[in-house]
Amino acid sequence: MSGGKGSMMGTLLGASIMGVLSNGLLLLGMGDFARQMVTGLIIVVAVIIDKYRAQALMRSSFQLEPARPREGKGTGESR
């Protein structure tokens, strides 16, 4: 697991988005329960998206290339 500036910026961005969302829902006059449900739903969706993004990144970084024959090996040639 890697940390660093990207992780810190992501946390800051996520907290900012959640703050803006909370304020917006409050201004719309939504009740406490409805605000908590919307916030929770957005967090669950964000976690699911992050999980699939991480899996796709793992798959793309571990793709194997076909083996290439080595020059001079197995052909009877000597160096």
Side-chain angles (χ1 to χ4, degrees), residues 40-51:
L41 181 65
I42 288 175
I43 291 171
V44 168
V45 169
V47 168
I48 290 171
I49 289 171
D50 186 59
K51 177 185 170 201

Side-chain angles (χ1 to χ4, degrees), residues 7-49:
S7 176
M8 200 162 76
M9 290 301 293
T11 302
L12 182 64
L13 180 63
S16 299
I17 290 172
M18 294 309 291
V20 169
L21 175 71
S22 179
N23 286 337
L25 294 175
L26 187 62
L27 288 173
L28 287 173
M30 237 181 219
D32 286 339
F33 182 72
R35 280 195 322 245
Q36 289 176 356
M37 291 295 290
V38 169
T39 302
L41 181 65
I42 288 175
I43 291 171
V44 168
V45 169
V47 168
I48 290 171
I49 289 171

